[in-house]
Amino acid sequence: MTTALIGLDWGSTHLRAYRYDSRGQVEEKRAFPHGIRRLPEGGFAEAFAQAVQHWPDVPVLACGMVGSRNGWQEVPYLDTPTRVDRLAGALTHLEVPGGRVIHLVPGLRDPQRPDVMRGEETQVVGALAFSPSIGQRGCLLLPGTHSKWVSLRDGAVAGFATVMTGELFGLLMQHSILGAQLPADANDEQAFLRGVVAAKASDSAGALSRVFSARTLMLDGVLAPAAVADYLSGLLIGDELRMALAAGWLDARTRVQMVGEGALCERYLKAAAVFAIDIDTAPDNTTAHGLWRIATEAALVSPTAAA
Amino acid sequence: MTTALIGLDWGSTHLRAYRYDSRGQVEEKRAFPHGIRRLPEGGFAEAFAQAVQHWPDVPVLACGMVGSRNGWQEVPYLDTPTRVDRLAGALTHLEVPGGRVIHLVPGLRDPQRPDVMRGEETQVVGALAFSPSIGQRGCLLLPGTHSKWVSLRDGAVAGFATVMTGELFGLLMQHSILGAQLPADANDEQAFLRGVVAAKASDSAGALSRVFSARTLMLDGVLAPAAVADYLSGLLIGDELRMALAAGWLDARTRVQMVGEGALCERYLKAAAVFAIDIDTAPDNTTAHGLWRIATEAALVSPTAAA
């Protein structure tokens, strides 16, 4: 089957390239460390040339930080509320050395908070393709370094919020009095759940009012030094769920679907059980699927082939 | 007038030495960078020898991290609730090379949270000496790297809580996507107050639900890059006040007195005004005064001289 599209998921720390057949199946995947903050000598052009080397000259669609102010070319955000099918009509074209054209997906901006995303909008498209009904009234959770809580109403992205849970965990473990010089994560489920419960019990004060307990519980001998990482992970993930409820990003009537990587999603599922929040999980290849859907709507690939 | 006492305020990153006359006035102050994590070659003994060099052989009283597990000698905590006059009865004696004896003040431990302090208990003694009435029903706020909120009831420390506001600010400015590579603090009061207001508006969700706005407001051009530090400072100090109200560390009936360094206290006062919290300020030499009071109660100095 012939190659119909190349998709690029190009973030701060990674570059993933997908080669699709004419039915939208990914025939080949490539991964590089060449995020926009880790470019090789030769910069964007060299990273791109490596990513698509020996692949046919078909349309290229890219999402992520490559379209940010520090990216290859800045792409204006689409403001929420917006239907995601508007993304296909708002692509920016970038002609690159050698003559290829890259079509860049815009990020989304929630002007109410304000908040921004680049790359996750394509995951949202992919997730909605897998389960369209959640778009009527639901919430997508994309956990990670910068977790995103995306509120969906009547088929549109109503708004969203970023929580820096993963980055904060890394900062506390690497650089703070709580975690620096401690042994690595012991994968201690009891310590993790203790952290989740502490976050829940912090109620409206929030888990920052208790984060120092990671140290005092260790001094008390309640937490082994190797379990501090899991306790902090539980405290911060628990706090993210606590604040999502407090901020109204989800409520008892809201379906929540999570999109992301396996081990991290497992942690969120365990924490959600403590809060009695039901979370469905979506397949993890939502970016690749979202890129294909946007390309189809933008007529970068032929509608008949995409059927 | 003769020297009656040497006091040491010996923390993680500083060592301050006070020489008192027989009426409790500080006649000479010395400051060294020799906190317990920054000892000179020769370790504790050498740092101590430098601190008291040429001073007479009078009783020595020390407070702070010098009595911690990683200090010169570990001193057991006193558990709350406790009257602070019990500190004088719980000193640990450490004989040091050369024959001097150092009396070490215990820290306090709140077994309910759990939480711990070392050094701040001596500030509490000093602050209560200046204004005894707050001990009946009040709250002492000691802002800093690890802010302490100390709840006072019927002349005793009922309990306390640590909030890592200063450390978290440092982590976010030095290492996170929000602050790394930005110019230093511009002392932009408007940005600071914007952060305080955002923390207040975060309500029970808490300011971690909005901390990413430090980046998006800058991307939007609302915050100048040099103003991000002040915005984050306002957001985190405001969140500390928000959580103090939410956790019940203070309420409308609670007098709050703040003990600490000038510029930082100014920030807390400005933030408190946004929350309509009245905060009194205490003199900043509470540690030196607290050491003298504890020495007097422990009869390390003669009661007549202390009168």
Side-chain angles (χ1 to χ4, degrees):
Chain A
M1 199 169 284
T2 57
T3 294
L5 178 75
I6 293 170
L8 301 178
D9 172 10
W10 202 338
S12 293
T13 57
H14 67 267
L15 167 57
R16 295 186 198 100
Y18 305 101
R19 183 168 65 82
Y20 301 81
D21 69 18
S22 58
R23 293 176 56 190
Q25 300 300 308
V26 174
E27 292 200 304
E28 189 181 350
K29 252 189 251 196
R30 296 173 177 175
F32 303 85
H34 299 150
I36 71 163
R37 286 193 272 157
R38 299 179 184 173
L39 292 172
E41 206 170 320
F44 287 103
E46 175 59 26
F48 175 70
Q50 289 182 25
V52 302
Q53 196 172 28
H54 306 311
W55 282 357
D57 188 5
V58 294
V60 180
L61 182 65
C63 68
M65 294 299 282
V66 66
S68 70
R69 193 171 300 175
N70 301 318
W72 202 347
Q73 176 163 322
E74 187 170 3
V75 183
Y77 294 106
L78 274 188
D79 276 3
T80 60
T82 182
R83 295 183 60 91
V84 290
D85 51 17
R86 285 191 53 217
L87 290 167
L91 304 182
T92 289
H93 311 290
L94 165 65
E95 196 163 333
V96 305
R100 289 198 195 236
V101 171
I102 302 180
H103 303 268
L104 296 164
V105 179
L108 296 183
R109 176 174 175 274
D110 180 338
Q112 296 301 315
R113 297 185 52 83
D115 211 323
V116 292
M117 62 167 63
R118 284 200 190 271
E120 293 93 347
E121 75 294 325
T122 302
Q123 290 183 275
V124 172
V125 172
L128 285 176
F130 286 120
S131 55
S133 67
I134 202 167
Q136 289 312 303
R137 180 187 174 85
C139 179
L140 287 179
L141 161 58
L142 292 71
T145 306
H146 294 170
S147 291
K148 303 286 181 186
W149 288 80
V150 184
S151 175
L152 303 165
R153 291 288 181 279
D154 305 321
V157 174
F160 59 91
T162 301
V163 189
M164 294 171 60
T165 303
E167 181 165 2
L168 190 57
F169 174 75
L171 292 176
L172 292 175
M173 283 307 298
Q174 287 170 49
H175 299 292
S176 85
I177 192 175
L178 302 181
Q181 299 178 320
L182 287 188
D185 188 340
N187 218 350
D188 180 327
E189 182 166 343
Q190 200 184 349
F192 175 79
L193 289 174
R194 181 188 283 272
V196 176
V197 167
K200 184 163 187 277
S202 75
D203 198 25
S204 60
L208 278 189
S209 71
R210 304 200 173 203
V211 71
F212 195 63
S213 62
R215 181 164 181 80
T216 51
L217 289 170
M218 189 187 70
L219 291 174
D220 271 6
V222 174
L223 278 183
V228 168
D230 287 303
Y231 176 76
L232 267 180
S233 169
L235 194 67
L236 294 180
I237 289 175
D239 199 44
E240 186 179 334
L241 297 173
R242 185 203 62 77
M243 79 179 64
L245 290 165
W249 303 337
L250 63 87
D251 57 40
R253 294 166 54 210
T254 310
R255 268 182 66 201
V256 187
Q257 191 162 58
M258 179 163 53
V259 178
E261 175 263 323
L264 184 61
C265 284
E266 281 302 310
R267 287 181 176 256
Y268 275 77
L269 287 176
K270 282 177 192 162
V274 173
F275 283 83
I277 300 170
D278 275 331
I279 298 189
D280 300 329
T281 50
D284 194 20
N285 56 344
T286 49
T287 301
H289 197 64
L291 283 167
W292 176 260
R293 295 294 286 227
I294 294 169
T296 306
E297 281 170 28
L300 296 180
V301 291
S302 76
T304 52
Chain B
M1 198 169 287
T2 56
T3 293
L5 178 74
I6 292 170
L8 301 178
D9 172 10
W10 202 338
S12 293
T13 57
H14 68 269
L15 167 58
R16 295 186 197 99
Y18 305 101
R19 184 168 64 81
Y20 300 81
D21 70 17
S22 58
R23 292 176 57 190
Q25 299 301 308
V26 174
E27 292 199 304
E28 189 181 350
K29 249 188 256 197
R30 295 173 178 175
F32 303 85
H34 298 151
I36 71 162
R37 286 194 271 156
R38 298 179 185 175
L39 293 172
E41 205 170 322
F44 286 104
E46 175 59 25
F48 176 69
Q50 290 182 25
V52 302
Q53 196 172 28
H54 307 310
W55 282 358
D57 188 5
V58 294
V60 181
L61 183 65
C63 69
M65 293 300 282
V66 67
S68 69
R69 192 170 301 175
N70 301 318
W72 203 347
Q73 176 163 323
E74 188 169 4
V75 183
Y77 293 106
L78 274 187
D79 275 3
T80 59
T82 183
R83 295 182 59 91
V84 290
D85 50 19
R86 287 191 52 217
L87 291 167
L91 304 182
T92 289
H93 312 292
L94 166 66
E95 197 163 332
V96 305
R100 288 198 196 236
V101 171
I102 302 179
H103 304 268
L104 297 163
V105 179
L108 296 183
R109 176 174 175 275
D110 180 338
Q112 296 302 314
R113 299 183 51 83
D115 212 322
V116 293
M117 61 168 64
R118 285 200 190 270
E120 293 93 346
E121 74 294 326
T122 302
Q123 290 183 275
V124 171
V125 172
L128 286 176
F130 286 120
S131 55
S133 67
I134 202 167
Q136 289 312 303
R137 182 188 173 84
C139 179
L140 287 178
L141 162 58
L142 292 72
T145 306
H146 295 169
S147 292
K148 303 286 182 187
W149 289 80
V150 183
S151 176
L152 303 165
R153 291 287 183 280
D154 305 322
V157 174
F160 58 91
T162 301
V163 189
M164 296 171 59
T165 304
E167 182 166 0
L168 190 57
F169 174 75
L171 292 176
L172 292 175
M173 283 308 297
Q174 286 169 50
H175 299 292
S176 85
I177 193 176
L178 303 180
Q181 300 178 318
L182 287 187
D185 189 339
N187 219 348
D188 181 327
E189 182 167 342
Q190 198 184 349
F192 175 79
L193 289 174
R194 181 187 284 270
V196 176
V197 168
K200 184 165 187 277
S202 76
D203 199 24
S204 59
L208 278 188
S209 71
R210 303 199 176 204
V211 71
F212 195 63
S213 63
R215 181 162 181 80
T216 51
L217 288 169
M218 188 187 71
L219 291 174
D220 272 6
V222 173
L223 277 183
V228 168
D230 287 303
Y231 176 76
L232 267 180
S233 169
L235 194 67
L236 294 180
I237 290 174
D239 199 44
E240 187 179 334
L241 298 173
R242 184 201 63 76
M243 78 179 65
L245 290 165
W249 303 337
L250 65 87
D251 58 38
R253 295 166 53 210
T254 310
R255 268 182 67 202
V256 187
Q257 191 163 58
M258 180 163 52
V259 178
E261 175 263 323
L264 184 61
C265 285
E266 282 300 312
R267 286 182 176 255
Y268 274 78
L269 288 175
K270 282 178 192 161
V274 172
F275 283 82
I277 300 171
D278 275 332
I279 298 189
D280 299 330
T281 50
D284 193 19
N285 56 345
T286 49
T287 301
H289 197 64
L291 283 167
W292 176 260
R293 296 293 287 227
I294 294 169
T296 306
E297 281 171 28
L300 297 180
V301 293
S302 78
T304 52

